[in-house]
Amino acid sequence: MKSPGFTCWLTGLSGAGKSTLGIEIIKALEQLSVPCEYLDGDIIRTNLSKGLGFSREDRNTNVARVGFVCGLLNKHGINTVVALISPYRDSREELKFEIPNFIEIFVDTPLEVCITRDIKGLYKKALAGEIAEFTGISSPYEPPLNPDITLKTHKETVAQCVEKVLNYLRAQGKI
C-alpha cells in the first residue's frame, strides 16, 4: 500500500505568484521522481467548478471541490500542488481537517505589487468597478494566521521560494 500523499496549497491574492510557483514546485518534485499533480485555480474554474460565481458560498464550494480531489489523489499516494486564491480562512481551515497531509503555503505579496503584475488586466477592471467581488479590492482576502510556509515573491526569487518549499517537505519527511 502506498503511503498517503501530501497537498501543498498555495493561497494568496491574484498576481501573487501562486501559479508560477506551483508550476515550478511541480517541476522540482518531478525531477525528484515524486508522484504529483498540479491543480491551478484558473483551470479548475473552467472544468471542475464551471458555473460557480464569486460569492463567498461559491468560492467555498470551489475550495471544497478542489480539496476533495486532493484528498482522493493523496489517498492513492499522489501528491498535489494547488494554486488557488481561496480567500476565506474558514474554508482553508476546514481542509486541514479533511486532508491529513495538508500544507498551507501563504504567497504573501502586497496588493500594490499584485496590481503592478496585473497581466490579465483584472485589477484595472476591478478598480474601475467593472468586476464585482474581486478579491483584495471589493471582496476580502483573509490571510492565514499560521501558514506552514510563507513565501514573499516580492522579496524572494522563484528559485528561493521553491527551495524553501522543498526544504520544508524534506524536514517533514514528505520527500
Side-chain angles (χ1 to χ4, degrees), residues 24-78:
E24 294 304 315
I25 292 165
I26 284 289
K27 286 179 186 176
L29 290 172
E30 287 173 344
Q31 286 180 344
L32 296 170
S33 299
V34 175
C36 53
E37 188 62 49
Y38 175 61
L39 302 170
D40 184 86
D42 290 339
I43 297 165
I44 294 293
R45 278 260 176 204
T46 58
N47 295 288
L48 182 66
S49 295
K50 190 174 185 171
L52 288 180
F54 293 93
S55 67
R56 184 181 185 109
E57 182 181 355
D58 282 358
R59 287 176 185 268
N60 286 345
T61 297
N62 188 40
V63 167
R65 287 179 183 177
V66 176
F68 176 77
V69 171
C70 291
L72 287 176
L73 291 168
N74 291 173
K75 186 170 89 175
H76 295 285
I78 300 175

Short mmCIF file of all heavy atoms in Angstrom, two decimals, residues 24-78:
data_model
loop_
_atom_site.label_atom_id
_atom_site.label_comp_id
_atom_site.label_asym_id
_atom_site.label_seq_id
_atom_site.Cartn_x
_atom_site.Cartn_y
_atom_site.Cartn_z
N GLU A 24 6.58 25.57 -10.89
CA GLU A 24 8.00 25.30 -10.58
C GLU A 24 8.17 24.28 -9.47
O GLU A 24 9.10 23.47 -9.50
CB GLU A 24 8.72 26.61 -10.25
CG GLU A 24 8.82 27.56 -11.44
CD GLU A 24 9.49 26.94 -12.66
OE1 GLU A 24 10.53 26.27 -12.51
OE2 GLU A 24 8.95 27.12 -13.78
N ILE A 25 7.27 24.27 -8.50
CA ILE A 25 7.32 23.25 -7.44
C ILE A 25 7.06 21.88 -8.05
O ILE A 25 7.76 20.91 -7.73
CB ILE A 25 6.31 23.58 -6.31
CG1 ILE A 25 6.76 24.84 -5.55
CG2 ILE A 25 6.15 22.40 -5.36
CD1 ILE A 25 5.68 25.45 -4.66
N ILE A 26 6.08 21.78 -8.93
CA ILE A 26 5.79 20.52 -9.61
C ILE A 26 7.00 20.03 -10.39
O ILE A 26 7.37 18.86 -10.33
CB ILE A 26 4.54 20.66 -10.53
CG1 ILE A 26 3.26 20.67 -9.69
CG2 ILE A 26 4.48 19.56 -11.58
CD1 ILE A 26 2.88 19.34 -9.06
N LYS A 27 7.63 20.93 -11.15
CA LYS A 27 8.82 20.55 -11.92
C LYS A 27 9.91 20.00 -10.99
O LYS A 27 10.54 18.98 -11.30
CB LYS A 27 9.38 21.75 -12.69
CG LYS A 27 8.56 22.15 -13.89
CD LYS A 27 9.21 23.37 -14.56
CE LYS A 27 8.37 23.92 -15.69
NZ LYS A 27 8.98 25.14 -16.25
N ALA A 28 10.12 20.68 -9.86
CA ALA A 28 11.15 20.24 -8.92
C ALA A 28 10.80 18.88 -8.32
O ALA A 28 11.68 18.01 -8.18
CB ALA A 28 11.32 21.28 -7.81
N LEU A 29 9.54 18.67 -7.99
CA LEU A 29 9.12 17.37 -7.44
C LEU A 29 9.26 16.26 -8.47
O LEU A 29 9.71 15.15 -8.15
CB LEU A 29 7.68 17.45 -6.93
CG LEU A 29 7.46 18.30 -5.68
CD1 LEU A 29 5.97 18.45 -5.39
CD2 LEU A 29 8.19 17.70 -4.47
N GLU A 30 8.90 16.55 -9.71
CA GLU A 30 9.03 15.55 -10.78
C GLU A 30 10.49 15.18 -11.00
O GLU A 30 10.81 14.02 -11.25
CB GLU A 30 8.39 16.06 -12.06
CG GLU A 30 6.86 16.05 -11.99
CD GLU A 30 6.19 16.69 -13.19
OE1 GLU A 30 6.84 17.43 -13.97
OE2 GLU A 30 4.97 16.46 -13.34
N GLN A 31 11.41 16.16 -10.89
CA GLN A 31 12.84 15.87 -11.03
C GLN A 31 13.32 14.94 -9.92
O GLN A 31 14.28 14.20 -10.11
CB GLN A 31 13.67 17.15 -11.02
CG GLN A 31 13.54 17.93 -12.30
CD GLN A 31 14.36 19.23 -12.28
OE1 GLN A 31 14.79 19.70 -11.24
NE2 GLN A 31 14.57 19.79 -13.46
N LEU A 32 12.63 14.98 -8.78
CA LEU A 32 12.97 14.09 -7.66
C LEU A 32 12.18 12.78 -7.72
O LEU A 32 12.20 12.00 -6.78
CB LEU A 32 12.69 14.81 -6.33
CG LEU A 32 13.52 16.06 -6.06
CD1 LEU A 32 12.98 16.81 -4.84
CD2 LEU A 32 14.99 15.70 -5.87
N SER A 33 11.45 12.57 -8.82
CA SER A 33 10.61 11.37 -9.02
C SER A 33 9.51 11.24 -7.97
O SER A 33 9.13 10.14 -7.58
CB SER A 33 11.47 10.10 -9.05
OG SER A 33 12.39 10.17 -10.11
N VAL A 34 8.98 12.37 -7.54
CA VAL A 34 7.88 12.39 -6.58
C VAL A 34 6.58 12.44 -7.39
O VAL A 34 6.38 13.36 -8.19
CB VAL A 34 7.98 13.62 -5.64
CG1 VAL A 34 6.77 13.72 -4.73
CG2 VAL A 34 9.27 13.58 -4.84
N PRO A 35 5.70 11.46 -7.22
CA PRO A 35 4.43 11.48 -7.97
C PRO A 35 3.57 12.66 -7.53
O PRO A 35 3.30 12.83 -6.34
CB PRO A 35 3.77 10.15 -7.61
CG PRO A 35 4.45 9.66 -6.38
CD PRO A 35 5.79 10.32 -6.30
N CYS A 36 3.18 13.49 -8.49
CA CYS A 36 2.43 14.69 -8.14
C CYS A 36 1.53 15.15 -9.27
O CYS A 36 1.71 14.78 -10.43
CB CYS A 36 3.39 15.80 -7.73
SG CYS A 36 4.68 16.15 -8.93
N GLU A 37 0.57 15.97 -8.87
CA GLU A 37 -0.38 16.56 -9.82
C GLU A 37 -0.57 18.02 -9.45
O GLU A 37 -0.65 18.37 -8.27
CB GLU A 37 -1.71 15.82 -9.76
CG GLU A 37 -2.70 16.21 -10.82
CD GLU A 37 -2.22 15.94 -12.24
OE1 GLU A 37 -1.77 14.81 -12.51
OE2 GLU A 37 -2.32 16.87 -13.06
N TYR A 38 -0.65 18.87 -10.47
CA TYR A 38 -0.83 20.31 -10.26
C TYR A 38 -2.27 20.70 -10.56
O TYR A 38 -2.82 20.34 -11.60
CB TYR A 38 0.14 21.07 -11.18
CG TYR A 38 -0.03 22.57 -11.15
CD1 TYR A 38 0.15 23.28 -9.97
CD2 TYR A 38 -0.36 23.28 -12.30
CE1 TYR A 38 0.00 24.66 -9.94
CE2 TYR A 38 -0.49 24.66 -12.27
CZ TYR A 38 -0.32 25.34 -11.09
OH TYR A 38 -0.46 26.70 -11.05
N LEU A 39 -2.89 21.42 -9.63
CA LEU A 39 -4.25 21.90 -9.80
C LEU A 39 -4.24 23.43 -9.72
O LEU A 39 -3.95 24.00 -8.67
CB LEU A 39 -5.17 21.32 -8.72
CG LEU A 39 -5.24 19.79 -8.66
CD1 LEU A 39 -5.97 19.33 -7.41
CD2 LEU A 39 -5.92 19.25 -9.90
N ASP A 40 -4.54 24.08 -10.84
CA ASP A 40 -4.50 25.54 -10.91
C ASP A 40 -5.91 26.11 -10.88
O ASP A 40 -6.80 25.59 -11.57
CB ASP A 40 -3.78 25.98 -12.19
CG ASP A 40 -3.62 27.47 -12.27
OD1 ASP A 40 -2.64 28.00 -11.71
OD2 ASP A 40 -4.50 28.13 -12.87
N GLY A 41 -6.10 27.17 -10.11
CA GLY A 41 -7.41 27.78 -9.95
C GLY A 41 -8.09 28.14 -11.26
O GLY A 41 -9.29 27.91 -11.42
N ASP A 42 -7.36 28.71 -12.21
CA ASP A 42 -7.96 29.10 -13.48
C ASP A 42 -8.46 27.88 -14.26
O ASP A 42 -9.54 27.91 -14.86
CB ASP A 42 -6.96 29.88 -14.34
CG ASP A 42 -6.67 31.27 -13.77
OD1 ASP A 42 -7.49 31.78 -12.98
OD2 ASP A 42 -5.62 31.83 -14.11
N ILE A 43 -7.69 26.82 -14.25
CA ILE A 43 -8.08 25.59 -14.97
C ILE A 43 -9.25 24.92 -14.27
O ILE A 43 -10.20 24.45 -14.92
CB ILE A 43 -6.87 24.64 -15.11
CG1 ILE A 43 -5.79 25.32 -15.96
CG2 ILE A 43 -7.28 23.31 -15.72
CD1 ILE A 43 -4.43 24.67 -15.89
N ILE A 44 -9.21 24.90 -12.94
CA ILE A 44 -10.30 24.32 -12.15
C ILE A 44 -11.61 25.05 -12.45
O ILE A 44 -12.66 24.43 -12.63
CB ILE A 44 -9.98 24.42 -10.64
CG1 ILE A 44 -8.79 23.54 -10.27
CG2 ILE A 44 -11.19 24.10 -9.79
CD1 ILE A 44 -9.00 22.07 -10.39
N ARG A 45 -11.54 26.36 -12.52
CA ARG A 45 -12.75 27.17 -12.76
C ARG A 45 -13.40 26.85 -14.10
O ARG A 45 -14.62 26.94 -14.22
CB ARG A 45 -12.41 28.66 -12.71
CG ARG A 45 -12.36 29.19 -11.31
CD ARG A 45 -13.64 29.90 -10.99
NE ARG A 45 -13.64 30.34 -9.60
CZ ARG A 45 -14.75 30.56 -8.93
NH1 ARG A 45 -15.92 30.37 -9.49
NH2 ARG A 45 -14.71 30.95 -7.70
N THR A 46 -12.61 26.49 -15.09
CA THR A 46 -13.20 26.21 -16.41
C THR A 46 -13.64 24.76 -16.56
O THR A 46 -14.31 24.43 -17.53
CB THR A 46 -12.22 26.56 -17.55
OG1 THR A 46 -11.02 25.82 -17.37
CG2 THR A 46 -11.90 28.04 -17.56
N ASN A 47 -13.28 23.90 -15.62
CA ASN A 47 -13.63 22.49 -15.73
C ASN A 47 -14.44 22.01 -14.52
O ASN A 47 -15.65 21.89 -14.60
CB ASN A 47 -12.36 21.64 -15.90
CG ASN A 47 -11.65 21.92 -17.20
OD1 ASN A 47 -12.13 21.53 -18.26
ND2 ASN A 47 -10.54 22.63 -17.15
N LEU A 48 -13.79 21.78 -13.43
CA LEU A 48 -14.42 21.21 -12.24
C LEU A 48 -15.47 22.14 -11.62
O LEU A 48 -16.48 21.68 -11.11
CB LEU A 48 -13.34 20.88 -11.20
CG LEU A 48 -13.79 20.23 -9.91
CD1 LEU A 48 -14.34 18.84 -10.18
CD2 LEU A 48 -12.64 20.16 -8.92
N SER A 49 -15.23 23.43 -11.66
CA SER A 49 -16.13 24.37 -10.98
C SER A 49 -16.84 25.33 -11.93
O SER A 49 -17.25 26.42 -11.54
CB SER A 49 -15.33 25.17 -9.93
OG SER A 49 -14.87 24.30 -8.92
N LYS A 50 -16.98 24.90 -13.17
CA LYS A 50 -17.69 25.73 -14.15
C LYS A 50 -19.09 26.03 -13.63
O LYS A 50 -19.76 25.16 -13.09
CB LYS A 50 -17.77 24.98 -15.48
CG LYS A 50 -18.26 25.84 -16.61
CD LYS A 50 -18.18 25.09 -17.93
CE LYS A 50 -18.57 26.02 -19.06
NZ LYS A 50 -18.32 25.43 -20.35
N GLY A 51 -19.50 27.28 -13.78
CA GLY A 51 -20.84 27.66 -13.34
C GLY A 51 -20.87 28.30 -11.97
O GLY A 51 -21.86 28.93 -11.61
N LEU A 52 -19.80 28.15 -11.21
CA LEU A 52 -19.76 28.81 -9.91
C LEU A 52 -19.41 30.28 -10.10
O LEU A 52 -18.60 30.63 -10.95
CB LEU A 52 -18.70 28.17 -9.00
CG LEU A 52 -18.99 26.79 -8.43
CD1 LEU A 52 -17.83 26.32 -7.57
CD2 LEU A 52 -20.29 26.79 -7.62
N GLY A 53 -19.99 31.11 -9.26
CA GLY A 53 -19.68 32.53 -9.29
C GLY A 53 -18.59 32.85 -8.29
O GLY A 53 -17.76 31.99 -7.93
N PHE A 54 -18.61 34.08 -7.79
CA PHE A 54 -17.56 34.53 -6.87
C PHE A 54 -18.10 34.99 -5.53
O PHE A 54 -17.44 35.71 -4.80
CB PHE A 54 -16.72 35.62 -7.55
CG PHE A 54 -15.93 35.07 -8.71
CD1 PHE A 54 -16.44 35.11 -10.00
CD2 PHE A 54 -14.70 34.47 -8.50
CE1 PHE A 54 -15.73 34.57 -11.07
CE2 PHE A 54 -13.97 33.94 -9.56
CZ PHE A 54 -14.49 33.99 -10.84
N SER A 55 -19.33 34.53 -5.21
CA SER A 55 -19.87 34.81 -3.88
C SER A 55 -19.06 34.01 -2.86
O SER A 55 -18.32 33.09 -3.22
CB SER A 55 -21.34 34.38 -3.80
OG SER A 55 -21.42 32.95 -3.88
N ARG A 56 -19.19 34.34 -1.60
CA ARG A 56 -18.48 33.60 -0.56
C ARG A 56 -18.84 32.10 -0.63
O ARG A 56 -17.97 31.25 -0.55
CB ARG A 56 -18.81 34.18 0.82
CG ARG A 56 -18.03 33.50 1.93
CD ARG A 56 -18.36 34.06 3.32
NE ARG A 56 -17.50 33.45 4.28
CZ ARG A 56 -16.50 34.06 4.91
NH1 ARG A 56 -16.25 35.31 4.67
NH2 ARG A 56 -15.76 33.40 5.77
N GLU A 57 -20.13 31.81 -0.77
CA GLU A 57 -20.57 30.42 -0.83
C GLU A 57 -19.96 29.69 -2.03
O GLU A 57 -19.48 28.56 -1.91
CB GLU A 57 -22.10 30.36 -0.90
CG GLU A 57 -22.64 28.95 -0.90
CD GLU A 57 -24.17 28.89 -0.98
OE1 GLU A 57 -24.83 29.94 -0.95
OE2 GLU A 57 -24.67 27.76 -1.09
N ASP A 58 -19.97 30.32 -3.20
CA ASP A 58 -19.41 29.68 -4.39
C ASP A 58 -17.90 29.50 -4.28
O ASP A 58 -17.35 28.48 -4.69
CB ASP A 58 -19.75 30.48 -5.65
CG ASP A 58 -21.17 30.25 -6.13
OD1 ASP A 58 -21.90 29.44 -5.52
OD2 ASP A 58 -21.57 30.89 -7.12
N ARG A 59 -17.22 30.48 -3.71
CA ARG A 59 -15.77 30.35 -3.52
C ARG A 59 -15.47 29.20 -2.56
O ARG A 59 -14.54 28.42 -2.80
CB ARG A 59 -15.18 31.65 -2.99
CG ARG A 59 -15.12 32.75 -4.04
CD ARG A 59 -14.61 34.04 -3.39
NE ARG A 59 -14.64 35.17 -4.28
CZ ARG A 59 -13.63 35.56 -5.04
NH1 ARG A 59 -12.50 34.90 -5.01
NH2 ARG A 59 -13.74 36.62 -5.81
N ASN A 60 -16.25 29.10 -1.48
CA ASN A 60 -16.03 28.00 -0.53
C ASN A 60 -16.35 26.64 -1.16
O ASN A 60 -15.67 25.66 -0.89
CB ASN A 60 -16.84 28.22 0.74
CG ASN A 60 -16.25 29.31 1.63
OD1 ASN A 60 -15.09 29.71 1.45
ND2 ASN A 60 -17.02 29.79 2.58
N THR A 61 -17.35 26.60 -2.02
CA THR A 61 -17.67 25.36 -2.75
C THR A 61 -16.51 24.98 -3.65
O THR A 61 -16.11 23.81 -3.72
CB THR A 61 -18.96 25.54 -3.57
OG1 THR A 61 -20.04 25.78 -2.67
CG2 THR A 61 -19.25 24.31 -4.42
N ASN A 62 -15.93 25.96 -4.33
CA ASN A 62 -14.78 25.72 -5.20
C ASN A 62 -13.62 25.12 -4.40
O ASN A 62 -13.02 24.12 -4.79
CB ASN A 62 -14.37 27.02 -5.88
CG ASN A 62 -13.32 26.82 -6.95
OD1 ASN A 62 -13.35 25.87 -7.71
ND2 ASN A 62 -12.38 27.74 -7.00
N VAL A 63 -13.31 25.73 -3.25
CA VAL A 63 -12.23 25.25 -2.40
C VAL A 63 -12.52 23.82 -1.93
O VAL A 63 -11.65 22.95 -1.97
CB VAL A 63 -12.02 26.20 -1.19
CG1 VAL A 63 -11.12 25.58 -0.13
CG2 VAL A 63 -11.44 27.53 -1.67
N ALA A 64 -13.76 23.56 -1.52
CA ALA A 64 -14.13 22.22 -1.05
C ALA A 64 -13.99 21.18 -2.17
O ALA A 64 -13.51 20.07 -1.93
CB ALA A 64 -15.56 22.24 -0.51
N ARG A 65 -14.38 21.54 -3.38
CA ARG A 65 -14.25 20.60 -4.51
C ARG A 65 -12.80 20.26 -4.80
O ARG A 65 -12.44 19.11 -4.99
CB ARG A 65 -14.90 21.18 -5.77
CG ARG A 65 -16.40 21.18 -5.73
CD ARG A 65 -16.98 21.79 -7.00
NE ARG A 65 -18.43 21.86 -6.92
CZ ARG A 65 -19.20 22.40 -7.86
NH1 ARG A 65 -18.65 22.91 -8.95
NH2 ARG A 65 -20.50 22.42 -7.71
N VAL A 66 -11.96 21.29 -4.82
CA VAL A 66 -10.54 21.07 -5.08
C VAL A 66 -9.95 20.24 -3.95
O VAL A 66 -9.18 19.30 -4.19
CB VAL A 66 -9.79 22.40 -5.27
CG1 VAL A 66 -8.30 22.15 -5.45
CG2 VAL A 66 -10.35 23.16 -6.47
N GLY A 67 -10.33 20.56 -2.72
CA GLY A 67 -9.85 19.79 -1.57
C GLY A 67 -10.26 18.32 -1.66
O GLY A 67 -9.47 17.43 -1.32
N PHE A 68 -11.47 18.07 -2.11
CA PHE A 68 -11.95 16.69 -2.27
C PHE A 68 -11.08 15.94 -3.28
O PHE A 68 -10.66 14.80 -3.02
CB PHE A 68 -13.41 16.70 -2.73
CG PHE A 68 -13.97 15.34 -3.01
CD1 PHE A 68 -14.33 14.50 -1.96
CD2 PHE A 68 -14.12 14.89 -4.31
CE1 PHE A 68 -14.84 13.22 -2.22
CE2 PHE A 68 -14.62 13.62 -4.57
CZ PHE A 68 -14.99 12.79 -3.53
N VAL A 69 -10.77 16.56 -4.40
CA VAL A 69 -9.92 15.94 -5.41
C VAL A 69 -8.53 15.67 -4.83
O VAL A 69 -7.97 14.59 -5.02
CB VAL A 69 -9.83 16.81 -6.69
CG1 VAL A 69 -8.78 16.27 -7.65
CG2 VAL A 69 -11.20 16.90 -7.37
N CYS A 70 -7.99 16.63 -4.10
CA CYS A 70 -6.67 16.44 -3.48
C CYS A 70 -6.69 15.25 -2.53
O CYS A 70 -5.77 14.43 -2.53
CB CYS A 70 -6.25 17.70 -2.71
SG CYS A 70 -5.88 19.10 -3.78
N GLY A 71 -7.74 15.17 -1.72
CA GLY A 71 -7.86 14.06 -0.77
C GLY A 71 -7.88 12.71 -1.48
O GLY A 71 -7.24 11.76 -1.03
N LEU A 72 -8.61 12.63 -2.59
CA LEU A 72 -8.65 11.39 -3.37
C LEU A 72 -7.28 11.03 -3.92
O LEU A 72 -6.83 9.88 -3.82
CB LEU A 72 -9.65 11.51 -4.53
CG LEU A 72 -11.13 11.49 -4.20
CD1 LEU A 72 -11.95 11.72 -5.47
CD2 LEU A 72 -11.53 10.18 -3.55
N LEU A 73 -6.62 12.01 -4.51
CA LEU A 73 -5.29 11.75 -5.07
C LEU A 73 -4.29 11.38 -3.97
O LEU A 73 -3.54 10.42 -4.11
CB LEU A 73 -4.80 12.96 -5.86
CG LEU A 73 -5.56 13.25 -7.16
CD1 LEU A 73 -5.20 14.63 -7.70
CD2 LEU A 73 -5.30 12.18 -8.20
N ASN A 74 -4.32 12.13 -2.88
CA ASN A 74 -3.41 11.85 -1.76
C ASN A 74 -3.61 10.45 -1.21
O ASN A 74 -2.64 9.76 -0.85
CB ASN A 74 -3.60 12.86 -0.63
CG ASN A 74 -3.14 14.28 -0.94
OD1 ASN A 74 -3.37 15.18 -0.15
ND2 ASN A 74 -2.50 14.50 -2.08
N LYS A 75 -4.85 10.01 -1.13
CA LYS A 75 -5.18 8.68 -0.61
C LYS A 75 -4.47 7.59 -1.42
O LYS A 75 -4.14 6.53 -0.90
CB LYS A 75 -6.70 8.49 -0.65
CG LYS A 75 -7.20 7.21 0.00
CD LYS A 75 -8.70 7.22 0.13
CE LYS A 75 -9.33 6.63 -1.10
NZ LYS A 75 -10.79 6.49 -1.01
N HIS A 76 -4.21 7.89 -2.68
CA HIS A 76 -3.57 6.91 -3.57
C HIS A 76 -2.09 7.22 -3.79
O HIS A 76 -1.48 6.76 -4.77
CB HIS A 76 -4.33 6.83 -4.90
CG HIS A 76 -5.71 6.29 -4.70
ND1 HIS A 76 -5.97 4.96 -4.48
CD2 HIS A 76 -6.92 6.91 -4.65
CE1 HIS A 76 -7.27 4.78 -4.31
NE2 HIS A 76 -7.86 5.95 -4.42
N GLY A 77 -1.52 8.03 -2.89
CA GLY A 77 -0.09 8.30 -2.93
C GLY A 77 0.35 9.36 -3.92
O GLY A 77 1.54 9.52 -4.18
N ILE A 78 -0.61 10.07 -4.49
CA ILE A 78 -0.26 11.13 -5.43
C ILE A 78 -0.32 12.46 -4.70
O ILE A 78 -1.35 12.84 -4.14
CB ILE A 78 -1.19 11.14 -6.66
CG1 ILE A 78 -1.06 9.80 -7.37
CG2 ILE A 78 -0.87 12.31 -7.58
CD1 ILE A 78 -1.98 9.58 -8.52
#
